[in-house]
């Protein structure tokens, strides 16, 4: 096979470097802000480090290398426009509010139409569609009388009508650095060194301020009217959930992840049925952002220690394997909420102090904090709950809104 004409063995476009298209993060209009251009077919146009859908870039590379995909093919986005209107919201125009995603990512086809017509390879980083989801636990909640179908949000079949959005990360490096109270230089060097030098532009191209990292995306599920998310007078129930594949998908009972996620969905459905809106924000941060391999190694270490698994050794075993108790940082988590225009969450289905502190520090008001009912905590997950309680991961005991659904169903501990 002849070498591809796109192969470049340097981190910069061939020939004289051109000045990248300026990006004014947080500008009042998309035209002033400018498009994010992470093209690999026209390197001279690039004004971002990395590539769109970065976590899948290797699969695309394999498809190109094997001849299955033409690297010069331009996507046809006919009829792919968002299925619901999101924004613009005031938070989009504050460079400190959103630093980890492109708020115009779902509007690329319209707000940057002129650039696309001129041959600039601008691509969406957000997609919005409508769907129905069905979970066996929702059917059980209906059978138990906790939920009843209304024909709009919850159908008699147990299907839940949702608006959902997929969000790929787009990091504005100066903003990310400020969010973590470090310098941009320290951030760039850390990202460069800890990825084995995968992105040399991080340290050699300070003129490129945007990075599309190869990390997991975010999925948003909205129950009810999406327009209600930005209306503080409409009750908003929300769960922000970090991925746990073993529990969320395969039902492992060693943790409370799926039970808390299902409980959050149930609260969201109930709230939407009463004229409010429900929101699930699902972040792919598997195993406290340590990964599934590390998580399973920790499981083995916990179960094989003398005397069996215990709350006292819960975080110790994680730190022995991973070097840190928790690699999740919730500082950039509120960005998805800002993108949706959220100002107040009336019912936060979480007792995590990390999540609560991140949201409130970003100006999002929190009303009630809804815990998981005790009877939904699997027996094998008791160790996790007690360990988190002892470590101060969450607030236990009375919280605002004592007359709420959570109090009626039974007060639990945390996620």
């Amino acid at each position: 096979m002849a070498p591809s004409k796109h192969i470049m063995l340097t981190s910069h476009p061939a020939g004289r470097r051109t000045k990248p298209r300026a990006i004014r993060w947080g500008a009042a209009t998309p035209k002033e802000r400018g498009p994010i251009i992470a093209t690999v077919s026209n390197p001279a146009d690039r004004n971002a480090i990395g590539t769109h859908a970065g976590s899948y870039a290797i699969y695309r590379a394999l498809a190109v290398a094997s001849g299955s995909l033409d690297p010069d093919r331009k996507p046809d986005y006919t009829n792919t426009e968002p299925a619901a209107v999101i924004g613009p919201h005031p938070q989009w125009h504050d460079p400190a509010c959103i630093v980890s995603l492109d708020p115009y990512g779902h509007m690329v086809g319209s707000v940057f139409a002129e650039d696309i017509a001129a041959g600039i390879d601008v691509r969406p980083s957000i997609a919005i569609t409508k769907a129905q989801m069905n979970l066996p636990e929702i059917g059980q909640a209906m059978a138990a009388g906790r939920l009843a179908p209304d024909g709009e949000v919850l159908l008699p079949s147990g299907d839940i009508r949702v608006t959902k959005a997929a969000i790929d990360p787009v990091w504005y490096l100066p903003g990310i650095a400020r969010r973590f109270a470090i310098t941009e230089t320290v951030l760039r060097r850390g990202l460069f060194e800890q990825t084995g030098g995968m992105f040399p532009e991080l340290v050699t191209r300070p003129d490129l301020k945007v990075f599309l990292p190869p990390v997991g995306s975010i999925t948003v599920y909205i129950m009810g009217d999406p327009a209600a998310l930005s209306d503080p007078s409409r009750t908003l129930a929300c769960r922000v959930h970090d991925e746990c594949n073993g529990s969320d998908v395969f039902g492992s009972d060693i943790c409370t992840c799926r039970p808390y996620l299902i409980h959050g969905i149930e609260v969201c459905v109930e709230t939407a049925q009463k004229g409010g809106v429900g929101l699930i924000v699902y972040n792919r941060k598997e195993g406290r952002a340590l990964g599934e391999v590390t998580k399973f190694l920790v499981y083995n270490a916990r179960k094989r220690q003398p005397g069996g698994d215990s709350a006292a050794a819960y975080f110790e075993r994680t730190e022995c394997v991973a070097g840190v108790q928790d690699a999740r940082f919730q500082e950039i988590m509120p960005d998805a909420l800002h993108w949706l225009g959220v100002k107040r969450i009336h019912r936060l289905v979480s007792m995590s102090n990390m999540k609560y502190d991140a949201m409130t520090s970003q100006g999002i008001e929190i009303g009630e904090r809804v815990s998981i009912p005790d009877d939904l905590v699997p027996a094998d997950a008791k160790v996790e709950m007690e360990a988190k309680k002892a470590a101060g991961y969450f607030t236990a005991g009375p919280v605002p809104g004592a007359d709420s659904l959570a109090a009626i169903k039974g007060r639990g501990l945390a996620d």
Side-chain angles (χ1 to χ4, degrees), residues 52 74-81 108-109 116 121-124:
H52 283 295
K74 294 192 180 341
D76 179 358
Y77 293 121
T78 303
N79 293 328
T80 63
E81 60 271 8
V108 162
I116 294 172
D121 188 11
V122 189
R123 304 198 178 196

Side-chain angles (χ1 to χ4, degrees), residues 22-42:
I23 296 174
R24 291 183 55 205
W25 199 263
T29 67
K31 186 173 182 179
E32 293 176 88
R33 202 287 305 274
I36 306 296
I37 309 170
T39 178
V40 295
S41 57
N42 298 302

Side-chain angles (χ1 to χ4, degrees), residues 331-392:
E331 281 85 350
I332 59 177
M333 173 268 291
D335 285 18
L337 302 174
H338 287 315
W339 173 65
L340 294 165
V342 171
K343 303 179 185 71
R344 173 177 169 81
I345 297 174
H346 301 76
R347 310 171 75 191
L348 177 63
V349 190
S350 169
M351 297 299 285
S352 166
N353 287 337
M354 292 175 65
K355 295 175 184 176
Y356 175 87
D357 291 345
M359 293 178 193
T360 55
S361 70
Q362 285 292 306
I364 297 172
E365 186 180 350
I366 305 295
E368 168 195 2
R369 297 169 72 178
V370 181
S371 59
I372 186 170
D374 291 326
D375 58 1
L376 292 184
V377 179
D380 284 352
K382 300 291 185 183
V383 167
E384 175 193 62
M385 300 298 281
E386 290 302 318
K388 289 185 175 182
K389 179 179 178 181

Side-chain angles (χ1 to χ4, degrees), residues 206-292:
D207 56 330
L208 300 181
K209 298 295 186 181
V210 173
F211 176 43
L212 280 60
V215 297
S217 58
I218 301 167
T219 309
V220 168
Y221 294 85
I222 303 166
M223 281 141 267
D225 181 7
L229 291 167
S230 59
D231 183 354
S233 69
R234 302 277 294 275
T235 301
L236 167 59
C238 173
R239 171 153 181 83
V240 177
H241 188 90
D242 290 335
E243 180 183 43
C244 178
N245 189 57
S247 179
D248 297 343
V249 178
F250 294 102
S252 171
D253 62 357
I254 198 170
C255 65
T256 59
C257 292
R258 182 178 175 95
Y260 221 141
L261 176 60
I262 297 298
H263 179 54
I265 292 172
E266 188 174 332
V267 173
C268 286
V269 168
E270 182 201 49
T271 302
Q273 288 179 321
K274 292 181 177 179
V277 61
L279 173 65
I280 302 292
V281 179
Y282 193 89
N283 297 296
R284 284 172 178 82
K285 299 177 183 176
E286 178 67 58
R288 299 192 212 129
L290 297 169
E292 206 165 27

